[in-house]
Amino acid sequence: MALSRLSSRAKPLLQPLAFTALRRHISTDNTPLTIETTLPFTSHLCESPSRTVETTSSELLSFFHDMALMRRMEIAADSLYKAKLIRGFCHLYDGQEAVAIGMESAITKKDAIITSYRDHCTFLGRGGKLIDAFSELMGRKTGCSNGKGGSMHFYKKDASFYGGHGIVGAQVPLGCGLAFAQKYGKEEAVTFTLYGDGAANQGQLFEALNIAALWDLPAILVCENNHYGMGTAEWRSAKSPAYFKRGDYVPGLKVDGMDALAVKQACKFAKEHALKHGPIILEMDTYRYHGHSMSDPGSTYRTRGEISEVRQVRDPIDRVRKLIISHDIATEKELKDMEKEVRKEVDAAVAQAKESPIPDPSELFTNIYVKGFGAESFGADRKELRATLP
């Protein structure tokens, strides 16, 4: 079966620009597929979800397209940083795309997500546009945070995406606060709070989890375990690297974070659990291909052979590629054509973002205080500024 026989309802999450022409020929086949996850789940204080996952041809194609788009975006960001068009901190997500895609497929935009500084792909998964992402990365006015947040502070409030946070682990208590608001407002929604294995030893995580468990908050703590906290291997920093068990009295689940369908199944299970019983921890066993940030080559504390082996054996995009081909959904050539369209789309977004204006200097002191609750300064000298303070 070629792409020409797939459903016109096979809409990727990210609303591509250039891919529209390719999808125009897709017809109708949305037959349910049953696929088993690559690895079993490992549970703590709860039953494991079934390894059998329901999906469709269109969902698998959207997974492939969206992860390819995320991967290409991060590769482009690498080039822009090296060209000094992106400045400051920049943490890339390539290798971990299955977490963002699988999570998004199991929830709705009523469910909230909050994450750390590795946030570009989560923003896209929530429906953010490439142009908004690249504009923000380059500090342009049309960025998702008006060019003021940069790489670490992406937001999309209308899709319940609350950032992008630069302080290690600081988003965990904020995420539990979001879950409190959801329960207080009887919203029947949950909050996914993402953090890395490097943040898993933070005291504030355990304090927030304690309150969440006491109050049965619909909080899902997601440890994206890429096995290196900055340049430190997990076995050097954690006496107990079984992060899904670290909540002790809180149930947990270890998930193959390189398998988009396993992530989807785990997040669906976690949402149902959190709405009925309160918090749960998901440990996503994943891997990043780049270093911790653009200032880290990523090869001083791990071998190139290790990275290459993960790419060959566990790559999340290649896993979906193989599923699509083995189920006769599309051919290898058709998938390569899709990737070519993705590359064009990313290149077009980069070019457009470069033309976006830089914020006016007068914007420097705006968005610091809520209007009427503090001082707003527009180029005032220190004496004038002090006179405005209460």
Side-chain angles (χ1 to χ4, degrees):
M1 183 191 305
L3 274 174
S4 59
R5 286 186 281 163
L6 289 175
S7 172
S8 59
R9 291 175 291 169
K11 294 181 180 177
L13 294 171
L14 308 182
Q15 301 300 318
L17 303 173
F19 188 50
T20 306
L22 186 65
R23 285 177 49 241
R24 199 178 297 146
H25 306 292
I26 296 174
S27 62
T28 58
D29 185 355
N30 224 11
T31 307
L33 297 172
T34 302
I35 295 174
E36 190 172 86
T37 61
T38 309
L39 296 172
F41 301 98
T42 308
S43 62
H44 169 67
L45 299 181
C46 64
E47 296 293 325
S48 293
S50 171
R51 290 182 63 185
T52 302
V53 188
E54 294 294 326
T55 185
T56 62
S57 298
S58 58
E59 182 174 68
L60 289 176
L61 275 173
S62 72
F63 280 4
F64 181 82
H65 172 272
D66 294 351
M67 286 195 289
L69 192 70
M70 291 174 174
R71 179 76 53 89
R72 178 51 54 182
M73 176 186 69
E74 296 297 64
I75 291 170
D78 173 281
S79 299
L80 290 167
Y81 194 93
K82 288 171 180 173
K84 297 186 178 181
L85 289 170
I86 297 174
R87 309 302 292 263
F89 296 102
C90 186
H91 305 79
L92 303 181
Y93 201 74
D94 47 323
Q96 301 182 207
E97 299 92 349
V99 177
I101 288 299
M103 177 175 60
E104 198 63 55
S105 68
I107 61 178
T108 73
K109 295 299 188 292
K110 281 183 62 181
D111 299 307
I113 300 177
I114 189 168
T115 189
S116 66
Y117 37 70
R118 208 177 301 278
D119 58 358
H120 311 160
C121 294
T122 309
F123 171 76
L124 282 194
R126 291 267 86 182
K129 296 178 181 178
L130 275 176
I131 176 64
D132 295 343
F134 283 121
S135 295
E136 189 59 41
L137 285 168
M138 290 189 274
R140 305 306 172 103
K141 191 174 181 179
T142 55
C144 59
S145 297
N146 300 325
K148 297 183 177 184
S151 170
M152 298 196 293
H153 302 290
F154 279 35
Y155 294 90
K156 189 168 175 48
K157 188 178 178 183
D158 61 355
S160 304
F161 177 50
Y162 293 95
H165 292 268
I167 305 300
V168 176
Q171 71 277 10
V172 178
L174 296 176
C176 291
L178 289 169
F180 174 80
Q182 288 168 329
K183 182 167 184 176
Y184 189 82
K186 299 185 169 119
E187 295 177 17
E188 289 299 307
V190 300
T191 295
F192 285 79
T193 301
L194 281 65
Y195 58 97
D197 52 291
N201 299 314
Q202 284 278 331
Q204 58 192 326
L205 187 153
F206 297 97
E207 293 172 18
L209 188 59
N210 177 62
I211 292 294
L214 279 172
W215 295 345
D216 296 327
L217 301 182
I220 299 167
L221 273 63
V222 182
C223 177
E224 293 186 282
N225 181 11
N226 58 33
H227 303 283
Y228 295 95
M230 296 186 72
T232 305
E234 60 179 349
W235 62 268
R236 294 182 61 201
S237 61
K239 183 65 178 175
S240 172
Y243 299 107
F244 70 105
K245 295 181 180 179
R246 295 281 288 275
D248 185 15
Y249 44 81
V250 173
L253 202 64
K254 185 173 183 179
V255 185
D256 182 359
M258 305 293 269
D259 181 346
L261 289 173
V263 175
K264 171 187 172 181
Q265 189 81 331
C267 290
K268 180 182 176 183
F269 173 87
K271 179 176 177 178
E272 292 172 357
H273 173 95
L275 287 173
K276 291 179 182 176
H277 308 295
I280 183 171
I281 295 175
L282 300 180
E283 178 187 344
M284 300 293 179
D285 182 2
T286 186
Y287 198 84
R288 56 170 163 80
Y289 295 154
H290 267 85
H292 169 72
S293 69
M294 286 301 299
S295 61
D296 167 26
S299 56
T300 56
Y301 48 85
R302 57 182 183 176
T303 65
R304 295 189 184 279
E306 176 184 312
I307 303 169
S308 177
E309 183 180 359
V310 174
R311 282 183 178 273
Q312 292 174 17
V313 178
R314 299 184 66 209
D315 185 78
I317 299 176
D318 281 346
R319 281 183 169 181
V320 174
R321 186 196 308 271
K322 289 173 183 175
L323 279 175
I324 289 171
I325 293 171
S326 66
H327 284 82
D328 197 25
I329 296 169
T331 65
E332 179 71 35
K333 181 183 183 304
E334 287 168 328
L335 294 179
K336 285 183 178 178
D337 288 343
M338 190 187 295
E339 289 176 305
K340 288 177 183 176
E341 293 297 324
V342 161
R343 183 176 295 206
K344 289 178 184 177
E345 184 182 342
V346 169
D347 289 346
V350 169
Q352 191 178 349
K354 285 179 179 178
E355 298 301 316
S356 177
I358 292 172
D360 188 270
S362 65
E363 288 289 308
L364 182 61
F365 294 100
T366 60
N367 307 122
I368 296 174
Y369 298 101
V370 176
K371 246 188 185 346
F373 291 91
E376 289 195 18
S377 172
F378 298 90
D381 62 27
R382 291 182 182 180
K383 185 177 179 182
E384 291 173 331
L385 181 59
R386 279 197 299 269
T388 66
L389 294 173

